[in-house]
């Protein structure tokens, strides 16, 4: 009973307790290394990226064009039907201005991650990527962007074959 | 449907680094919950353990590791895990253990020891990004929250200043919680002036990494009526997933939670949640998430939660008290334990035992909620007396 | 079905790792156990006040009764081989230059025991039930680790 408990368990340690060996610890670094299979749909996605194109899959039951591509439609729970090339232009759905790495070490230059809705795919179909060639304060939701491709000879069949997406005005 | 009650609750202090091992923390919380219920381990028929990724504690098969400290010795024991949603999912598992009629008394224990993980617990969580199409970009877990917060703010025209009110409120509420890690008297300006991590997220918008455990004892109706002076009934449970293709859904609204909430309201016979729920403990790992979740829980209109907060409606003495415990932002965020802490809080609040944190007006019904997996699971319980 | 869909897909793999390392605390009972080993070369046990079970290594609580095991007592590191195995390969499957004997060692009057190396003996000389004692590092070299025991060896 919360009002009746005077002493709550749990012994708090400070960083120095560990660093100065006030308490005993054991260190362990697992060798957690993996080689993940790209799978059927993403293997093709990567191949097309290497060729400088974005590809999606279509499901004729829900009439959606899905990106990232997948071999089954999770809504209809049936195989998707065909490959469809989509544009390398799109719209910023949301973005951030990130100043830290995953381990919270400060970055020299902020990164601009964004969810980009890809033209030619169904409404709401976005991918995660980075924005570039733009000042952070000039980015806005709804901004039109275009992929900036790595030189053909340097593409590896990776999502990073697109260096970033830059502001773009429709012709 | 068979009635199921919570009859005891316990928790450890939430701290940045605990000396106790995860099993010791589990035992401390579980023992407290059993003592509060006036029960012994031999009275427990089954055990449910909730704990987030094994990679946080750095112990593989954490369910097995935690079993003895959770009372699982020679008993049917289950470990469940839906990421951040785990802490509220675990009592739902216990609910159907008991509602099925197979078990009378179930001990629920949730634990997390994130301090083991170096250089930062985020390292263990990077795999929630797709290994091929997303991790190659060098992502950061903060990205997801920052992207969602920006989308939410922009769609509704909400400011960071309004959102910061949540952090101020919850950290202040936590000053009254004896287990809290980050209780503080701050101003909105303090939050806005804290280090910008990933715009629009500043450091004080975020809950900390923590160590801790929480536990509850749950019983069938006949055992609860025999052993407990004031059972708190589980009136509704709900849980729901959205697509794991997180870039394919509009992040401004937590649709996963609306479905989970509707399931729980339906079971509890609640028609007008805003009038029938007296205390809310929504999942608040980030300040904007409290607002986002209040909307998904249908406790206000979309885009209206910030207004309620600024107007003081969600204060402990307001018309709709939200996170009277201090939430994850104030009490701390040992993932699974933080969700179950919210269930403990409702238990204490509804029994009028919350001391300095007590919500006035004798609240009779509360809701606790958690969120997690690939940011697309919602878990909800409704408790009442 | 899949073969029709994957006209030109190659097998593609994406390398990566999970960037974590751990610092584990020994815990309340574990700390006391390792301190006894480091400072006095003894093994710490704890006893349940209810069922009287004596745990080795010492624990904070009795898993059977859920009571705090408050009675701590040290015993000499002398026990017997409960079971053992002989490892011929390392964690990566590479052959070891010298086979390594690992044993589960139990101690009189206690519940539990220790997994450790057996040394100063040969695989064909080991038997279940064999009496063994800890070969400890000199006091100054001990760090409060289970490796403060170099190995267990046949009792002289």
């Amino acid at each position: 009973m919360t009002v009746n408990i005077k002493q709550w368990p749990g012994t708090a340690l400070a960083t120095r307790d560990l660093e100065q060996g006030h308490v005993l610890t054991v260190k362990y670094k697992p060798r957690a290394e993996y080689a993940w299979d790209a799978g059927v749909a993403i293997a093709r996605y990567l191949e097309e990226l290497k060729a400088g194109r974005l590809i999606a899959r279509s499901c004729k039951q829900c009439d959606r064009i899905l990106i990232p591509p997948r071999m089954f439609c999770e809504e209809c729970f049936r195989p998707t039907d065909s490959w469809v090339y989509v544009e390398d232009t799109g719209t910023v759905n949301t973005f951030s201005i990130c100043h830290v790495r995953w381990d919270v070490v400060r970055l020299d230059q902020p990164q601009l991650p964004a969810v980009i809705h890809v033209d030619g795919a169904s409404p709401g179909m976005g991918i995660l990527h980075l924005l570039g060639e733009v000042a952070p304060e000039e980015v806005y939701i709804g901004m039109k962007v275009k992929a900036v491709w790595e030189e053909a000879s340097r593409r590896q069949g990776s999502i990073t074959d697109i260096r970033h997406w830059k502001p773009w005005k429709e012709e | 449907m068979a009635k199921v009650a919570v009859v005891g609750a316990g928790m450890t202090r939430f701290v940045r680094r605990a000396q106790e091992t995860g099993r010791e923390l589990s035992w401390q919380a579980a023992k407290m919950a059993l003592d509060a219920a006036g029960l012994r381990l031999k009275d427990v028929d089954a055990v449910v353990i909730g704990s987030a990724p094994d990679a946080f504690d750095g112990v593989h098969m954490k369910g097995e590791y935690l079993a003895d400290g959770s009372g699982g010795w020679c008993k049917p024991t289950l470990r469940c895990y839906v990421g951040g949603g785990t802490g509220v999912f675990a009592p739902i598992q216990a609910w159907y253990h008991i509602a099925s009629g197979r078990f009378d008394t179930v001990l629920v224990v949730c634990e997390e020891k994130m301090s083991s993980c170096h250089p930062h617990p985020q390292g263990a969580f990077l795999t929630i990004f797709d290994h091929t199409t997303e991790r190659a970009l060098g992502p950061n877990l903060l990205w997801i929250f920052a992207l969602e917060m920006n989308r939410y703010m922009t769609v509704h025209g909400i400011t960071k200043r309004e959102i910061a009110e949540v952090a101020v409120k919850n950290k202040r509420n936590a000053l009254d919680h004896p287990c809290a890690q980050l209780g503080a008297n701050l101003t909105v300006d303090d939050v806005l002036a804290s280090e910008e991590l990933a715009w629009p997220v500043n450091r004080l918008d975020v809950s900390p990494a923590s160590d801790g455990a929480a536990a509850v004892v749950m019983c069938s109706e006949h055992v609860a009526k025999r052993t407990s002076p004031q059972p708190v009934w589980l009136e509704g449970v709900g849980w729901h997933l959205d697509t794991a293709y997180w870039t394919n859904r509009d992040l401004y609204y937590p649709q996963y939670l609306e479905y989970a909430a509707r399931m729980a309201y339906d079971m509890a016979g609640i028609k007008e949640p805003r009038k029938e729920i007296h205390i809310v403990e929504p999942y608040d790992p980030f300040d904007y998430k409290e607002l986002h979740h209040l909307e998904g829980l249908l406790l206000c209109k979309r885009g209206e939660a910030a207004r309620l907060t600024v107007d003081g409606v969600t204060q402990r003495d307001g018309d709709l008290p939200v996170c009277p415990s201090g939430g994850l932002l104030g009490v701390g965020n040992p993932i699974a334990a933080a969700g179950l802490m919210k269930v403990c809080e409702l238990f204490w609040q509804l029994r009028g035992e919350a001391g300095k944190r007590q919500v006035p007006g004798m609240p009779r019904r509360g809701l606790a909620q958690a969120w997690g997996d690939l940011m697309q699971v919602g878990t909800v319980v409704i408790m009442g007396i | 079905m899949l073969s029709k869909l994957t006209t030109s897909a190659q097998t593609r793999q994406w390398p990566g790792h999970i960037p974590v390392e751990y610092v584990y605390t020994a815990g309340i009972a574990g700390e006391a156990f390792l301190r006894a080993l480091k400072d006095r070369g003894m093994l710490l046990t704890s006893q349940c006040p209810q069922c009287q079970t004596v745990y080795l290594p010492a624990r904070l609580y009795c898993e059977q009764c859920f009571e705090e095991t408050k009675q701590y007592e040290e015993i000499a590191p002398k026990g017997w081989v409960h079971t053992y195995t002989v490892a011929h390969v390392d964690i990566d499957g590479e052959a070891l230059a010298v086979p390594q004997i690992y044993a589960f060692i139990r101690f009189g009057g206690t519940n539990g025991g220790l997994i450790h190396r057996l040394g100063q003996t040969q695989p064909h000389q080991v038997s279940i039930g064999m009496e063994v004692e800890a070969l400890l590092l000199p006091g100054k070299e001990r760090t409060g680790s289970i490796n403060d025991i170099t190995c267990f060896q046949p009792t002289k």
Side-chain angles (χ1 to χ4, degrees):
Chain A
M1 288 172 214
T2 178
V3 279
N4 299 332
I5 290 170
K6 300 286 174 259
Q7 275 240 296
W8 296 78
T11 310
L13 299 176
T15 308
R16 65 175 180 280
D17 292 327
L18 269 65
E19 288 170 355
Q20 297 173 6
H22 298 154
V23 294
L24 298 171
T25 54
V26 174
K27 291 191 173 66
Y28 171 61
K29 185 169 185 174
R31 288 183 297 174
E33 288 177 21
Y34 301 89
W36 291 292
D37 286 324
V40 178
I42 297 302
R44 174 74 187 269
Y45 187 56
L46 298 180
E47 250 181 88
E48 296 290 348
L49 281 164
K50 193 170 185 181
R53 293 184 295 244
L54 278 169
I55 200 161
R57 287 285 291 179
S58 77
C59 172
K60 64 186 178 193
Q61 186 162 312
C62 61
D63 200 23
R64 292 191 306 161
I65 295 173
L66 305 158
I67 189 166
R70 62 213 72 163
M71 301 316 289
F72 61 92
C73 174
E74 77 274 18
E75 284 189 24
C76 307
F77 219 53
R78 57 183 291 284
T80 48
D81 300 286
S82 54
W83 293 100
V84 184
Y85 288 109
V86 292
E87 304 297 321
D88 68 349
T89 57
T91 309
V92 173
N93 172 258
T94 183
F95 68 96
S96 170
I97 305 163
C98 188
H99 302 282
V100 291
R101 225 169 49 185
W102 64 269
D103 50 1
V104 204
V105 172
R106 269 328 260 185
L107 296 166
D108 293 334
Q109 290 291 321
Q111 287 175 303
L112 300 172
V115 174
I116 296 158
H117 284 187
V118 179
D119 291 340
S122 290
M125 288 290 122
I127 62 169
L128 176 70
H129 218 287
L130 297 161
L131 303 176
E133 299 178 47
V134 60
E137 60 275 14
E138 283 169 12
V139 182
Y140 60 94
I141 288 178
M143 186 171 83
K144 292 297 293 181
V145 289
K146 183 173 176 60
V148 176
W149 293 88
E150 198 57 72
E151 284 168 42
S153 62
R154 297 179 59 181
R155 290 186 211 136
Q156 300 171 328
S158 158
I159 191 67
T160 54
D161 290 346
I162 295 175
R163 277 190 218 149
H164 53 251
W165 297 63
K166 67 174 184 185
W168 172 70
K169 284 210 169 49
E170 244 164 312
E171 295 298 318
Chain B
M1 206 169 321
K3 288 179 76 177
V4 176
V6 179
V7 297
M11 67 184 285
T12 67
R13 296 164 64 207
F14 287 180
V15 297
R16 178 65 190 89
R17 281 178 200 79
Q19 184 176 3
E20 285 84 354
T21 60
R23 323 151 78 153
E24 289 175 341
L25 289 170
S26 297
W27 172 76
Q28 289 173 335
K31 174 76 172 155
M32 187 188 290
L34 278 175
D35 287 349
L39 296 174
R40 309 258 306 269
L41 187 60
K42 66 176 175 53
D43 301 317
V44 172
D45 301 320
V47 171
V48 172
I49 298 168
S51 203
D54 292 356
F56 277 163
D57 286 42
V59 176
H60 201 50
M61 315 259 291
K62 217 190 320 181
E64 285 72 2
Y65 169 73
L66 296 173
D68 65 332
S70 305
W73 180 76
C74 291
K75 290 189 195 304
T77 301
L78 167 150
R79 179 249 184 132
C80 66
Y81 170 46
V82 285
T86 304
V88 174
F89 198 52
I92 295 175
Q93 307 299 307
W95 170 78
Y96 53 72
H97 271 64
I98 297 166
S100 70
R102 187 65 186 81
F103 300 100
D104 278 325
T105 305
V106 177
L107 178 58
V108 183
V109 186
C110 289
E111 177 273 355
E112 220 73 61
K113 191 162 185 199
M114 297 165 76
S115 67
S116 313
C117 195
H118 290 248
H120 195 281
Q122 250 210 61
F125 239 179
L126 290 174
T127 50
I128 79 166
F129 289 99
D130 182 90
H131 46 68
T132 307
T133 59
E134 294 174 345
R135 274 194 78 189
L137 297 167
N140 172 338
L141 199 60
L142 281 167
W143 286 10
I144 285 189
F145 307 111
L147 292 166
E148 186 174 74
M149 180 170 168
N150 184 12
R151 183 80 192 145
Y152 174 66
M153 286 168 60
T154 305
V155 167
H156 295 305
I158 297 168
T159 63
K160 275 167 61 76
R161 179 163 281 278
E162 291 169 311
I163 290 173
E165 296 272 5
V166 174
V168 171
K169 168 179 69 74
N170 290 2
K171 287 173 194 294
R172 192 190 301 125
N173 284 349
L175 285 171
D176 296 327
H177 201 303
C179 298
Q181 181 181 347
L182 281 185
N185 248 321
L186 299 174
T187 64
V188 166
D189 288 323
D190 292 331
V191 179
L192 296 176
S194 64
E195 183 189 12
E196 183 170 289
L197 298 174
W199 184 87
V201 174
N202 292 38
R203 187 170 289 280
L204 289 175
D205 292 315
V206 191
S207 60
S210 315
D211 293 354
V216 294
V217 183
M218 290 169 54
C219 287
S220 60
E221 184 175 13
H222 71 271
V223 173
K225 285 190 167 160
R226 195 179 72 232
T227 61
S228 178
Q230 179 58 277
V232 178
W233 303 100
L234 232 69
E235 297 182 347
V237 300
W239 66 102
H240 213 287
L241 282 172
D242 201 340
T243 177
Y245 287 95
W246 66 278
T247 56
N248 288 176
R249 62 187 176 85
D250 199 327
L251 300 173
Y252 92 98
Y253 184 71
Q255 190 65 51
Y256 55 86
L257 181 53
E258 180 183 326
Y259 291 139
R262 286 188 185 281
M263 179 178 166
Y265 292 146
D266 181 53
M267 178 176 153
I270 290 174
K271 301 278 186 291
E272 293 182 87
R274 179 70 175 81
K275 289 184 185 157
E276 297 175 66
I277 301 286
H278 308 143
I279 304 179
V280 198
E281 280 282 344
Y283 202 61
D284 62 323
F286 289 70
D287 45 12
Y288 81 93
K289 280 310 283 191
E290 173 169 312
L291 306 176
H292 206 229
H293 285 148
L294 286 175
E295 294 171 16
L297 288 165
L298 309 172
L299 290 167
C300 60
K301 295 198 185 91
R302 295 185 191 190
E304 194 189 61
R307 192 73 250 148
L308 293 183
T309 308
V310 172
D311 290 347
V313 174
T314 61
Q315 294 286 343
R316 204 179 270 150
D317 58 358
D319 191 45
L320 182 68
V322 179
C323 286
S325 64
L328 279 54
L329 288 161
V331 185
N333 188 11
I335 311 288
L340 196 60
M341 175 275 286
K342 291 176 171 288
V343 174
C344 295
E345 182 69 10
L346 291 184
F347 176 77
W348 290 320
Q349 288 282 357
L350 296 173
R351 290 181 22 141
E353 296 173 357
K356 285 200 283 182
R357 299 192 309 289
Q358 186 63 49
V359 167
M362 299 180 59
R364 299 186 57 80
R365 191 185 264 145
L367 181 152
Q369 175 254 324
W371 163 70
D373 261 2
L374 297 167
M375 350 201 288
Q376 91 294 25
V377 71
T379 52
V380 175
V381 299
I382 296 167
M383 293 162 63
I385 52 170
Chain C
M1 179 187 74
L2 287 180
S3 60
K4 279 186 213 156
L5 297 172
T6 59
T7 46
S8 58
Q10 301 158 302
T11 305
R12 275 301 304 266
Q13 290 193 323
W14 197 263
H17 71 289
I18 301 180
V20 288
E21 49 188 290
Y22 298 97
V23 179
Y24 306 103
T25 58
I28 303 297
E31 178 91 15
F33 177 81
L34 292 175
R35 293 273 176 204
L37 184 61
K38 175 175 186 276
D39 297 340
R40 294 178 293 283
M42 299 288 276
L43 301 181
L44 187 70
T45 67
S46 66
Q47 186 172 21
C48 173
Q50 195 162 311
C51 68
Q52 311 300 322
T53 300
V54 176
Y55 290 101
L56 185 154
R59 300 186 198 179
L60 182 63
Y61 55 89
C62 172
E63 66 181 353
Q64 302 169 59
C65 309
F66 239 43
E67 295 299 317
E68 185 170 353
T69 54
K70 287 180 177 161
Q71 294 155 263
Y72 285 82
E73 193 180 329
E74 292 178 3
I75 64 168
K78 291 185 177 180
W80 67 89
V81 173
H82 181 68
T83 185
Y84 70 99
T85 183
V86 182
H88 296 275
V89 293
D90 69 10
I91 197 167
D92 296 315
E94 299 293 323
L96 290 168
V98 181
Q100 179 76 59
I101 313 166
Y102 292 99
F104 176 22
I105 298 151
R106 301 198 67 160
F107 303 86
T110 70
N111 176 301
L114 295 176
I115 300 287
H116 219 296
R117 296 174 289 268
L118 282 189
Q120 315 292 331
T121 184
Q122 295 299 320
H124 67 270
Q125 293 171 328
V126 179
S127 61
I128 286 177
M130 186 169 94
E131 293 190 354
V132 292
E133 61 186 5
L135 178 61
L136 288 153
L137 287 174
K140 276 180 289 185
E141 290 175 31
R142 292 182 210 150
T143 59
S145 153
I146 195 65
N147 285 317
D148 288 350
I149 299 172
T150 308
C151 63
F152 279 81
Q153 62 187 358
T155 304
K156 289 185 177 116

